[in-house]
Amino acid sequence: MRNTAPRDGSELEALEQREWLESLEYVIQQGDRGRVQRLLGALKHQARMAGVSLPFTAVTPYVNSIRPDDQAPMPGSQEIERRIKSLVRWNAMAMVVRANRVSDGIGGHISTYASAATLYEVGFNHFFRGRENDGDADIIYFQGHAAPGIYARAFLEGRLPVEKLQNFRRELAEGGGLSSYPHPWLMPDFWQFPTVSMGLGPIMSIYQARFNRYLEDRGLKSPSQAKVWTFMGDGETDEPESLGAISLAAREKLDNLIFVINCNLQRLDGPVRGNGQIVQELEAIFRGAGWNVIKVLWGTDWDPLLAADKDGLLAARMGEIVDGQYQKYAVESGAYFREHFFGVDPRLLDMVKHLSDDQLKRLRLGGHDPLKVFNAYKAAVETKGQPTVILARTIKGYGLGEAGEGKNVTHQQKKLNESDLRTFRTRFGIPVSDDEIAEAPFYRPAEDSEELQYLRDRRASLGGFVPTRHEPVDPIEPPSEELFEEFWKGTEGRKASRRWCSCACFRSSCAIRPSGSSSCRSCRTRRARSAWSRCSGRWASTRTSARSTSRSTWTRSSITRKPRTARSSKRGSPRPGRCHPSSPPGPLTPTMA
């Protein structure tokens, strides 16, 4: 049948659009995504050269970054891992509930770990490396409010006795207790880093990852695949320290750094962005800074619906709902969700007509789906050349039901009544009897149970338990007296500034050779090098070279040094005590202006 000519401009535009889409689909079917990227890039460039103003966007659609076709199967047993996760959930909740019964108002947090349990358990079972295999473990900055969940897992592992859990937040109680939040001073054999001061965990992890790479680049540490993981909440990103150094991580190409942001859309007492979308906001910030962004928003239950969304109606609808409304959906029924989310368009309603209201209510978010989280972590550890941030959608207080799931008060929820405990127990299949339920007892399976054997096997394969803290200290040989001879002599009556003396000490310290090392470079930080360069010029530049993550691509300008008198006459005398830039690294003989 012959194609008839379009009758008006709208038909022509529709025809052109269809032809372009068919051409694009043909290229996609060839299986070369790089070719698609190059083609679209060329089209964008051509349009800009023709003066076409293209709309700017720093975000991608409000869907998962990893397509179902690109997902790898999850190793291990998801059923056993689900049972382990449920036990950790129960014991974490019981810990806080029991502590507040003993001492009303002692605090603690149930809802944070309840929302992040899958994010942590996938890491513990498949990714977090211990130090027992090769001594080079992952470094993990745990979110402070999730501490009860980390304690609960250590209880299952046999590393914490039940008496410790009973004394949560009561460290001075008989038999000792557990600190409120991660802190190595309070629990020196357990926690590695203090993280609950909001925003400090993220910025410390960036500099930790940078320092790890610095040691590798200087030859002071063997290169490894160890990662630095940072877990934080979406509300925590409002702290200036949380995002203050993310551009440094991208600039230094820290592909050993992974941020996991638990986007449950709630802060301490309300939504993070009631009239906006925190996920899209964070994606724009991190992508703009040069990070690899992976969004984990929708669980496997949503995959068939999105696959049937040929016209993009569902994806568009997902992207136009603000966070405050998403919170409303979390606490309402499936019928409400059907009416207010899908009911705006008959075509959307038709997509879910085969699902009951209960099935709609049970559609999981991405952060609660182990398969989605596993593939996000897998993509993150395999990324090269840039740090990765994972934005995972969850529900705060997940599993608490009427006691606080998705509600604004859930962060402050410290107690559960007997009815709430029964609901929690039934939902997650905890083997606690009706006679015991009111006491919220801790539960640990038998030593030979399938759950504990699986848990230990997984940690053994990854190098041991985490978190754990070791302090191996090698004896340091003191430097010889000859190093200090010039300092014992003094300046023989000549004046010397503190800056000059500091530079002289630095110059001498660079000559120290500890046992097992050809030279001491650990003290040659960039700041120290900068200070020494200002004092000793070219000598410091040649002895303590700068470090860069990439080869310089710019041409260095030559440095012309004027006579001392010429420099002095231009802006007066130099500061008293500042040494001559060309002073050799000789004895302690300061040169004064």
Side-chain angles (χ1 to χ4, degrees):
M1 181 177 179
R2 295 178 57 186
N3 291 328
T4 58
R7 293 189 295 270
D8 53 30
S10 61
E11 288 189 6
L12 177 61
E13 183 176 342
L15 176 62
E16 290 175 338
Q17 188 177 86
R18 184 169 65 252
E19 290 177 347
W20 278 94
L21 291 176
E22 289 174 353
S23 299
L24 178 61
E25 183 64 26
Y26 170 79
V27 178
I28 293 175
Q29 293 301 324
Q30 304 307 305
D32 186 356
R33 296 187 182 180
R35 182 180 170 189
V36 176
Q37 293 173 345
R38 292 189 295 272
L39 176 61
L40 294 178
L43 289 174
K44 180 185 290 188
H45 175 75
Q46 185 66 21
R48 291 191 184 280
M49 291 297 99
V52 178
S53 180
L54 298 177
F56 169 78
T57 178
V59 298
T60 59
Y62 201 77
V63 296
N64 295 337
S65 300
I66 301 175
R67 301 185 312 140
D69 293 344
D70 297 330
Q71 291 177 171
M74 190 173 178
S77 171
Q78 289 195 48
E79 174 56 27
I80 298 178
E81 291 181 18
R82 185 198 62 79
R83 298 204 300 264
I84 294 172
K85 179 171 59 177
S86 296
L87 294 176
V88 176
R89 285 183 186 276
W90 172 267
N91 289 319
M93 176 274 297
M95 193 185 317
V96 178
V97 169
R98 292 170 64 99
N100 281 271
R101 287 178 180 177
V102 174
S103 180
D104 189 24
I106 198 171
H109 302 276
I110 301 174
S111 60
T112 297
Y113 183 80
S115 67
T118 300
L119 303 178
Y120 284 112
E121 282 301 304
V122 172
F124 278 121
N125 289 320
H126 301 282
F127 292 96
F128 299 160
R129 293 156 43 101
R131 64 174 63 249
E132 294 178 5
N133 285 350
D134 55 11
D136 204 1
D138 285 352
I139 293 174
I140 308 168
Y141 288 80
F142 293 97
Q143 187 179 0
H145 289 163
I150 312 304
Y151 293 142
R153 181 171 234 274
F155 169 63
L156 292 184
E157 294 167 342
R159 298 196 293 142
L160 291 178
V162 67
E163 291 77 17
K164 294 283 188 180
L165 272 64
Q166 291 171 342
N167 292 332
F168 174 61
R169 288 200 166 199
R170 294 189 299 138
E171 299 152 78
L172 300 182
E174 184 178 354
L178 301 175
S179 62
S180 302
Y181 301 121
H183 205 298
W185 180 265
L186 302 174
M187 298 179 64
D189 297 328
F190 193 83
W191 294 117
Q192 292 181 292
F193 312 101
T195 58
V196 80
S197 294
M198 303 287 280
L200 294 187
I203 197 170
M204 287 192 299
S205 67
I206 290 175
Y207 283 95
Q208 180 70 60
R210 181 176 184 243
F211 185 65
N212 287 0
R213 281 296 163 82
Y214 173 85
L215 294 177
E216 293 175 3
D217 294 345
R218 286 296 194 189
L220 300 170
K221 175 181 177 293
S222 300
S224 75
Q225 299 300 316
K227 303 293 182 181
V228 177
W229 298 79
T230 304
F231 287 83
M232 57 192 294
D234 47 1
E236 190 175 354
T237 60
D238 280 344
E239 299 292 336
E241 296 86 358
S242 294
L243 306 181
I246 62 172
S247 61
L248 180 146
R251 187 168 62 251
E252 296 281 337
K253 299 180 174 60
L254 299 180
D255 52 19
N256 61 335
L257 176 64
I258 300 171
F259 272 22
V260 181
I261 303 183
N262 177 15
C263 297
N264 56 38
L265 312 185
Q266 290 183 241
R267 57 175 76 251
L268 301 182
D269 53 3
V272 178
R273 295 290 185 273
N275 290 321
Q277 293 180 322
I278 187 61
V279 170
Q280 301 298 81
E281 180 181 321
L282 291 175
E283 180 187 23
I285 292 171
F286 279 95
R287 287 188 69 198
W291 286 53
N292 173 40
V293 179
I294 300 175
K295 293 195 290 193
V296 187
L297 309 182
W298 310 103
T300 303
D301 303 332
W302 287 88
D303 288 345
L305 298 178
L306 287 167
D309 185 31
K310 302 301 182 182
D311 297 326
L313 293 174
L314 179 57
R317 180 61 176 157
M318 291 171 166
E320 66 188 19
I321 303 297
V322 297
D323 289 352
Q325 189 62 35
Y326 273 124
Q327 279 188 268
K328 180 68 172 176
Y329 296 149
V331 300
E332 290 291 346
S333 64
Y336 181 94
F337 186 38
R338 183 191 302 274
E339 177 185 354
H340 292 84
F341 183 85
F342 296 97
V344 297
D345 191 311
R347 292 171 293 180
L348 289 175
L349 277 174
D350 189 62
M351 293 176 63
V352 294
K353 65 181 181 181
H354 63 289
L355 298 176
S356 67
D357 290 344
D358 288 341
Q359 288 174 315
L360 285 179
K361 180 64 177 177
R362 290 197 298 268
L363 292 175
R364 282 189 300 181
L365 294 177
H368 298 306
D369 190 323
L371 178 62
K372 299 295 184 182
V373 174
F374 173 84
N375 277 276
Y377 286 3
K378 181 176 182 293
V381 299
E382 293 174 355
T383 296
K384 302 298 181 183
Q386 60 183 152
T388 295
V389 59
I390 295 170
L391 306 175
R393 273 284 314 276
T394 65
I395 297 176
K396 194 158 190 175
Y398 183 76
L400 296 182
E402 292 298 320
E405 181 171 332
K407 298 181 179 180
N408 285 334
V409 298
T410 189
H411 187 84
Q412 307 302 334
Q413 183 64 274
K414 318 294 181 187
K415 300 178 181 179
L416 274 69
N417 58 37
E418 185 172 338
S419 176
D420 296 331
L421 291 171
R422 289 177 186 272
T423 301
F424 194 104
R425 175 203 62 181
T426 302
R427 179 168 180 174
F428 294 106
I430 309 300
V432 174
S433 68
D434 289 340
D435 295 337
E436 301 174 294
I437 193 68
E439 300 177 3
F442 298 113
Y443 180 81
R444 186 170 184 268
E447 290 293 335
D448 59 351
S449 66
E450 193 176 29
E451 292 87 355
L452 294 192
Q453 288 181 354
Y454 184 92
L455 183 150
R456 294 193 190 100
D457 289 344
R458 292 309 308 155
R459 289 313 313 160
S461 67
L462 290 167
F465 296 122
V466 292
T468 185
R469 189 166 181 262
H470 302 275
E471 294 185 355
V473 178
D474 297 326
I476 301 176
E477 295 181 7
S480 65
E481 288 292 326
E482 297 178 358
L483 182 69
F484 302 99
E485 285 184 359
E486 61 176 299
F487 300 103
W488 303 143
K489 294 178 182 178
T491 61
E492 299 179 354
R494 292 183 293 272
K495 294 181 179 180
S497 69
R498 284 174 296 180
R499 178 191 295 273
W500 193 94
C501 293
S502 297
C503 292
C505 291
F506 172 72
R507 180 253 304 160
S508 298
S509 67
C510 286
I512 300 175
R513 295 192 177 189
S515 59
S517 176
S518 58
S519 64
C520 178
R521 298 178 180 176
S522 60
C523 60
R524 301 176 188 177
T525 62
R526 190 170 295 179
R527 180 179 298 178
R529 177 187 177 275
S530 177
W532 175 237
S533 297
R534 290 195 296 271
C535 293
S536 297
R538 293 179 180 176
W539 181 86
S541 297
T542 56
R543 285 291 300 273
T544 57
S545 58
R547 167 188 170 271
S548 175
T549 55
S550 59
R551 184 186 299 273
S552 296
T553 57
W554 46 276
T555 304
R556 298 175 182 270
S557 60
S558 60
I559 301 176
T560 304
R561 299 188 178 277
K562 297 182 180 180
R564 211 175 115 209
T565 53
R567 287 202 315 277
S568 300
S569 62
K570 185 173 183 179
R571 287 194 174 182
S573 300
R575 293 206 306 258
R578 186 161 186 174
C579 60
H580 195 285
S582 60
S583 299
L588 193 62
T589 53
T591 303
M592 302 300 297

